[in-house]
Amino acid sequence: GQQLNQSPQSMFIQEGEDVSMNCTSSSIFNTWLWYKQDPGEGPVLLIALYKAGELTSNGRLTAQFGITRKDSFLNISASIPSDVGIYFCAGQPRGGSEKLVFGKGTKLTVNP
Amino acid sequence: DGGITQSPKYLFRKEGQNVTLSCEQNLNHDAMYWYRQDPGQGLRLIYYSQIVNDFQKGDIAEGYSVSREKKESFPLTVTSAQKNPTAFYLCASSIDGRGAKDYGYTFGSGTRLTVV
């Protein structure tokens, strides 16, 4: 099946640093989504992107839908301890498949 | 408030026993999904349902069963045939089964199943 390659797998940063993570695919996606999962909880939607080239912000978070429709990135600026968690990218394939395809996640650790 | 509720939060099962995980949503979503999460494995799809009384196998359906008798409910049974059932289980729902339209998936808070 289709796969999303999400990187990095994990990150260890100091509070206040900026963070960048990305997802790539060999297939075209109609929609890109970014989720955050706190420890022991379900993922929560952070940002949804619906058009190629779209750049969307949500507070300190910024995400972009790649122009080729095969990639997306998420940036977090001025990280804080509560940013700790696992960040997942997800995409809706262009072929009209009903199910989202998920990346394997980026585990973020923020040291105070 | 609308949402999706999973229960229980923690579940312990003896080897050889079946166990059922509950998932209820009051979002009026058509589609519902079950995922399994293991450390470093991401989210793996077990079963999904786009409409009442219909469901399809996901990537790792062996050893699991589901039912969708009501739009609001999508329980997952972990059977004794599942060889390695200890994991974190997540239920999700979405509008019209096309996943990312408008809002993407809404997830429950998960059930951690441990076989003892």
Side-chain angles (χ1 to χ4, degrees), chain A:
Chain A
Q2 291 169 309
Q3 292 184 334
L4 291 180
N5 299 309
Q6 186 172 352
S7 64
Q9 190 173 13
S10 62
M11 302 181 73
F12 298 84
I13 62 170
Q14 292 296 124
E15 183 177 358
E17 290 183 359
D18 297 342
V19 172
S20 183
M21 58 191 79
N22 69 85
C23 271
T24 61
S25 174
S26 58
S27 305
I28 288 175
F29 284 81
N30 277 344
T31 303
W32 286 92
L33 305 169
W34 285 93
Y35 286 85
K36 182 197 177 192
Q37 183 181 28
D38 290 328
E41 298 295 328
V44 174
L45 183 64
L46 297 173
I47 292 178
L49 303 158
Y50 300 107
K51 292 171 58 177
E54 180 180 356
L55 184 70
T56 298
S57 293
N58 178 6
R60 293 179 295 105
L61 278 61
T62 302
Q64 185 160 29
F65 191 144
I67 197 69
T68 65
R69 306 178 73 174
K70 294 181 179 181
D71 63 330
S72 177
F73 73 75
L74 174 70
N75 287 340
I76 305 173
S77 63
S79 60
I80 59 178
S82 62
D83 290 334
V84 164
I86 302 176
Y87 292 80
F88 290 99
C89 62
Q92 183 186 32
R94 185 179 68 167
S97 169
E98 297 85 357
K99 303 184 303 299
L100 292 180
V101 178
F102 284 88
K104 290 193 173 184
T106 295
K107 186 176 182 179
L108 179 64
T109 302
V110 180
N111 296 314

Side-chain angles (χ1 to χ4, degrees), chain B residues 29-44:
Chain B
H29 283 175
D30 298 297
M32 297 186 75
Y33 313 81
W34 274 104
Y35 287 88
R36 171 179 171 143
Q37 186 176 26
D38 298 284
Q41 294 285 331
L43 304 175
R44 293 187 290 171

Side-chain angles (χ1 to χ4, degrees), chain B residues 45-97:
Chain B
L45 183 65
I46 304 172
Y47 269 98
Y48 66 102
S49 168
Q50 294 174 273
I51 195 170
V52 174
N53 292 322
D54 187 42
F55 48 83
Q56 286 79 42
K57 293 181 179 180
D59 300 319
I60 56 164
E62 185 175 353
Y64 300 97
S65 66
V66 293
S67 62
R68 187 85 187 276
E69 297 177 359
K70 299 186 300 182
K71 187 176 184 178
E72 301 80 16
S73 179
F74 191 41
L76 173 74
T77 296
V78 184
T79 75
S80 57
Q82 170 51 236
K83 298 306 178 187
N84 185 22
T86 295
F88 190 55
Y89 291 87
L90 285 163
C91 180
S93 67
S94 72
I95 298 172
D96 76 13

